[in-house]
Amino acid sequence: MGFFSKLFKRKKDDEQESLKVAEVEIDELLEKSQESEEEKEEIQSSVEAENDTPKIEEENIEEKKEDVNIEQTDGDIDNKIDEQVEEPKKEVEKVEIEEVKEEKKGFFASLKDKLFKSREGLFGTLKSFILGRSVIDDEMYEELEDILVQSDIGMDMTLKIVKELEKEVKRRGVKDPKEVYPVLREVMEGFLIKEDNEIHIEDGKLNVILVVGVNGVGKTTTIGKLASKYVKEGKKVILGAGDTFRAAAIEQLEEWANRSGAEIVKSTQGSDPGAVVFDTLAAAQSRGADIAIIDTAGRLHNKNNLMKELEKIHHIIKKKLGDQKYESILVIDGTTGQNALNQAKVFNEVTELTGFIITKLDGTAKGGIVFSISEELKKPIKFIGVGEKIEDLRKFEAKEYIQAIFD
């Protein structure tokens, strides 16, 4: 074979070898960059066409290299791969952020959501009834009375509400039944006590909160939630296990003390409740506590004994505090309706109550007890319980409550 033939054959072999290498490199780059099938086929067909040519100029090969950016795409491909890896990360981060937002939403769930049963029950019935009327007449007011009585508002409170509603409707010249509903909302809000509806805590003093209530109303849990609230606010809290008639009450309160970060003073079952109250106050004063929350038993089967027990406890507290005011709070179960109202009346007779905490309002479709307690006993509602979580013990705000159940 002549010199030029060998030369051209070697050159052709080199060109074909270069094309094969280029083809391999192109395929590898295409796999890394995950180009579309259409682009891959286009590049491969171009290379195959070049392989079929007997002789290819080096300039053409260089052009093809430039077309697919063989020498310059490594960095770009790496960047593309990084971007493709980053995208799932961003998606994960987005999901995590959404989960946090959802958790916050659950944590700060609106009162409206918590009072769903009452809003859809009693107040949903009221709304549909009034908006369904075509005329304002005596029959409307009579049927309204029936609905209110069935909602645990009670007969006396119901008559007051309907009488005031009728008066306001006439005074405002309301003719359309649809306009009666917002008037009813204002009337019912007017029966809720809005003053002095918080537990007063003074800095630099020992604040005492005496909590009473019968078994099963959520008294111990309420005390635990209060303790947790105040500890989170930076207060030093001591709990007094004055309900010595039940071993379970002492154990539950001790558990809440551990959970909330409060201290506890306790004795054995059957010991003198007055002695526990005395020891609790002594410990609170010596340890520089800000708040002492005292649990007491509430046994209604013997009214005289209950009165004597509470009088003794009040005497001990007054002796320790002097003229300083303290809170005496009754906890009642919002799902028990008129029974809760009767309990409140008895306790209000035998002790100096400063207010109420109504629990389990998220579990009732009635909710009328709020109005009965506030109006008939003329004492403010301090807190309401609308769930199991610590943050579900909420300071009672009349406007917020009305908005949650009427809207």
Side-chain angles (χ1 to χ4, degrees), residues 354-376:
T354 59
F356 303 94
I357 294 177
I358 304 179
T359 63
K360 309 178 187 180
L361 280 178
D362 58 313
T364 177
K366 296 181 179 181
I369 189 63
V370 171
F371 299 92
S372 297
I373 291 291
S374 186
E375 170 61 18
E376 293 195 26

Side-chain angles (χ1 to χ4, degrees), residues 246-276:
R246 296 185 303 125
I250 300 172
E251 293 171 2
Q252 288 169 10
L253 196 65
E254 188 171 18
E255 176 61 28
W256 270 109
N258 294 332
R259 288 176 60 182
S260 64
E263 298 179 28
I264 186 170
V265 174
K266 61 178 183 174
S267 186
T268 57
Q269 182 182 3
S271 59
D272 180 17
V276 175

Side-chain angles (χ1 to χ4, degrees), residues 145-325:
E145 286 179 2
D146 292 338
I147 294 173
L148 292 175
V149 169
Q150 293 171 17
S151 71
D152 284 338
I153 285 182
M155 180 57 75
D156 291 341
M157 187 73 238
T158 293
L159 294 176
K160 289 179 182 180
I161 291 173
V162 173
K163 183 179 179 181
E164 186 64 23
L165 175 64
E166 192 171 1
K167 176 182 173 182
E168 280 298 306
V169 167
K170 288 179 179 178
R171 187 181 69 82
R172 302 183 189 190
V174 176
K175 302 298 181 183
D176 186 350
K178 293 180 176 59
E179 296 178 14
V180 174
Y181 188 70
V183 178
L184 175 63
R185 170 177 171 160
E186 290 182 32
V187 167
M188 295 185 73
E189 181 181 343
F191 283 105
L192 294 175
I193 295 177
K194 303 177 181 66
E195 298 79 24
D196 201 30
N197 65 338
E198 58 184 44
I199 293 178
H200 298 282
I201 303 296
E202 294 186 54
D203 292 334
K205 294 183 178 180
L206 172 60
N207 299 271
V208 176
I209 305 171
L210 179 66
V211 183
V212 298
V214 300
N215 295 340
V217 297
K219 179 164 56 80
T220 307
T221 300
T222 298
I223 292 172
K225 290 178 179 179
L226 283 174
S228 180
K229 164 184 161 59
Y230 292 128
V231 169
K232 285 179 181 177
E233 292 176 1
K235 305 295 185 184
K236 183 178 179 64
V237 180
I238 291 184
L239 305 182
D243 185 354
T244 60
F245 296 95
R246 296 185 303 125
I250 300 172
E251 293 171 2
Q252 288 169 10
L253 196 65
E254 188 171 18
E255 176 61 28
W256 270 109
N258 294 332
R259 288 176 60 182
S260 64
E263 298 179 28
I264 186 170
V265 174
K266 61 178 183 174
S267 186
T268 57
Q269 182 182 3
S271 59
D272 180 17
V276 175
V277 173
F278 181 88
D279 291 343
T280 301
L281 297 178
Q285 288 177 332
S286 65
R287 299 174 195 176
D290 299 297
I291 301 170
I293 307 177
I294 301 170
D295 182 16
T296 57
R299 295 162 296 146
L300 292 179
H301 62 277
N302 192 320
K303 186 175 176 180
N304 290 332
N305 286 347
L306 174 64
M307 183 180 294
K308 290 178 181 178
E309 191 66 54
L310 290 175
E311 281 180 351
K312 180 180 178 181
I313 290 172
H314 280 296
H315 178 71
I316 293 170
I317 296 174
K318 288 178 180 178
K319 191 173 181 179
K320 277 287 184 182
L321 298 182
D323 294 333
Q324 182 183 332
K325 293 183 179 180

